[in-house]
Amino acid sequence: EIVMTQSPVTLSVSPGERATLSCRASQSVRSNLAWYQQKPGQAPRLLIYGASTRATGIPARFSGSGSGTEFTLTISSLQSEDFAVYYCQQYNNWPPYIFGQGTKVEIK
Amino acid sequence: QVQLQQWGAGLLKPSETLSLTCAVSGGSFSGYYWIWFRQTPGKGLEWIGEINHGRSTNYNPPLKSRVTLSVDSSKRQVSLTLNSVTAADTAVYYCARRREGSTSDWYIDSWGQGALVTVSS
């Protein structure tokens, strides 16, 4: 089974700064990777699918890149509402519901 | 805009049966798999199983013997039953959906609001 590893576990960032989150797959998932944002007490929300396509209504400050085994989520200028936990998920191999352990983006 | 609304009992005793329902409003009910996840601080997001409107199901093997998924297309509802619960089943449970079809469409585009289920004697 594929293992998804996210780094760092916690990222401390000041508002307005750039945040770069990484996700590594133990084997190739091509571009079948999604990113989700989860705030306390809420369900995850789809941000990015296909490694780089923003979901409907997601601001342009969120961008995704990568393919194969290495992926990056970049938040270009952190807003107060962006402090949350971010998960990557591969959906290339069965079962398609393997998530990383999450990266918490906190206020520095 | 699709909305997934969940409900069910939130407090169970060991050995009881967990039962949750997810109602789908807006959007199409067919052409999707309706998925159940649970989330705990220790194990993160765990897939339970999924069902489509044609009642085709897939289950996570560790849970398969205790899980039943059902669908009522006329009511646009999907239901989860988990038998013989223990404290290890304490979690926030989510329903969600993904498209059927090609692998490139298998991302999860909608989630229910979540339901905390606690198992305690």
Side-chain angles (χ1 to χ4, degrees), chain B residues 93-108:
Chain B
Y93 287 74
Y94 293 101
C95 61
R97 78 169 191 181
R98 67 151 173 105
R99 281 189 178 86
E100 297 184 82
S102 65
T103 304
S104 61
D105 290 332
W106 287 3
Y107 53 90
I108 302 156

Side-chain angles (χ1 to χ4, degrees), chain B residues 37-53:
Chain B
F37 291 98
R38 64 185 184 182
Q39 186 175 32
T40 61
K43 295 187 72 175
L45 282 159
E46 182 181 21
W47 173 54
I48 299 171
E50 62 182 10
I51 188 168
N52 67 5
H53 79 287

Side-chain angles (χ1 to χ4, degrees), chain A residues 75-96:
Chain A
I75 312 171
S76 60
S77 177
L78 270 159
Q79 306 298 302
S80 57
E81 62 266 30
D82 301 335
F83 293 97
V85 178
Y86 293 82
Y87 295 96
C88 62
Q89 176 228 346
Q90 75 83 26
Y91 52 95
N92 188 68
N93 293 30
W94 193 264

Side-chain angles (χ1 to χ4, degrees), chain B residues 39-85:
Chain B
Q39 186 175 32
T40 61
K43 295 187 72 175
L45 282 159
E46 182 181 21
W47 173 54
I48 299 171
E50 62 182 10
I51 188 168
N52 67 5
H53 79 287
R55 295 179 171 78
S56 178
T57 55
N58 297 298
Y59 294 105
N60 192 355
L63 297 169
K64 184 176 182 178
S65 63
R66 296 195 294 131
V67 173
T68 301
L69 300 183
S70 59
V71 62
D72 185 334
S73 297
S74 65
K75 294 184 178 179
R76 296 168 61 96
Q77 292 179 358
V78 293
S79 296
L80 163 69
T81 300
L82 179 66
N83 298 323
S84 305
V85 298

